[in-house]
Amino acid sequence: MKTFVTTMLLALAATAAHAQAPTLTAPASPAKAQRFALALNLDATWPGDDGYRLYDANQMLGAGGLSLAWDAFRADKRLVVAPFVEWQGERAEGAWMRDGDASLEAHNVAVGVRPRFHVRPWLAPFVRLGGGVTFAQTALELASAPGRLTADSRSYFVRAGAGVELRSRAAALGPNLPKVALSISVEGGYLLATALELDLTLDGARPGIPTGSVPLGELERSRPYGRVGIALHF
């Protein structure tokens, strides 16, 4: 009996020695699993130039656009540096004289970098550094006069801001599909830009009628901004 028990113990020990220990893998955090982010951004800006009263009486301008970011660099599983490219459009309209309309339409194209630090997988403060160019058109039109006055101009800018991002858990939208996550962010900062040169010319004048430009001066573009963003991470 003693020999039988000894033999069984030796057999169990040999089996345990040759068994492969299970591998434990830590679950991937949202910051590591999803590398790209497509965001819808809504901005509010407060220009200090009184010339904006021509387009918007309360001097608060709104803008909306899209951005695409890529998590290019990670350190210590918390720090993530994401280059981005973005486009934003803005439009403001107001009354000019008694029967006239004034409008300002601008398209902003920018590139930059957005480092963030994950205090928790779902909570990440961040900063934004970027720059780009604004393509703008100003138009003045009177109902009692033919044609309208327009000016096409450009402005160059840099942007610096900071905010916080709240992110959901990653989840698959269906079988065999990659996991995605959603996030919402709030941000504030400052836009430092060159001024828009407003040299108006008559658009739609009759052929043969000489036209010239009407210089209205400059429209400053530097101003603080606030932003709310909703992003899909994939």
Side-chain angles (χ1 to χ4, degrees):
M1 183 66 179
K2 183 177 181 180
T3 304
F4 174 76
V5 173
T6 304
T7 303
M8 292 298 295
L9 291 176
L10 291 175
L12 290 174
T15 303
H18 289 85
Q20 183 177 2
T23 302
L24 299 179
T25 304
S29 66
K32 185 176 181 180
Q34 287 76 46
R35 298 185 66 101
F36 296 92
L38 179 63
L40 171 64
N41 302 310
L42 300 176
D43 284 20
T45 63
W46 295 269
D49 194 329
D50 288 338
Y52 282 95
R53 295 187 182 276
L54 181 63
Y55 311 105
D56 198 297
N58 59 14
Q59 284 194 288
M60 186 184 75
L61 299 178
L66 299 172
S67 65
L68 179 64
W70 169 50
D71 291 352
F73 174 78
R74 302 183 183 92
D76 195 26
K77 299 182 180 180
R78 290 190 175 187
L79 177 63
V80 181
V81 180
F84 68 86
V85 58
E86 70 176 20
W87 164 85
Q88 276 193 320
E90 59 183 90
R91 182 176 176 83
E93 296 180 336
W96 179 52
M97 299 181 68
R98 293 184 179 180
D99 61 346
D101 295 316
S103 65
L104 172 66
E105 183 174 348
H107 298 273
N108 309 311
V109 180
V111 295
V113 65
R114 185 178 180 268
R116 67 181 189 271
F117 184 81
H118 282 264
V119 181
R120 294 288 187 270
W122 52 271
L123 176 63
F126 65 86
V127 296
R128 182 187 302 274
L129 300 172
V133 60
T134 297
F135 302 92
Q137 183 182 72
T138 298
L140 302 177
E141 187 172 4
L142 285 174
S144 58
R148 63 175 186 163
L149 296 171
T150 62
D152 294 320
S153 52
R154 278 185 286 186
S155 171
Y156 301 93
F157 64 88
V158 292
R159 184 195 302 266
V164 63
E165 174 186 292
L166 301 176
R167 188 183 297 207
S168 70
R169 281 181 171 272
L173 299 178
N176 302 322
L177 292 179
K179 290 184 177 182
V180 298
L182 295 175
S183 71
I184 183 170
S185 62
V186 291
E187 174 186 343
Y190 196 82
L191 186 78
L192 183 63
T194 60
L196 293 173
E197 297 284 347
L198 302 183
D199 292 329
L200 299 172
T201 58
L202 185 60
D203 183 18
R206 295 178 182 178
I209 297 179
T211 60
S213 63
V214 180
L216 288 187
E218 297 181 339
L219 191 63
E220 293 293 335
R221 293 283 293 174
S222 298
R223 60 266 181 94
Y225 76 92
R227 170 177 291 188
V228 175
I230 301 175
L232 173 67
H233 302 263
F234 57 96

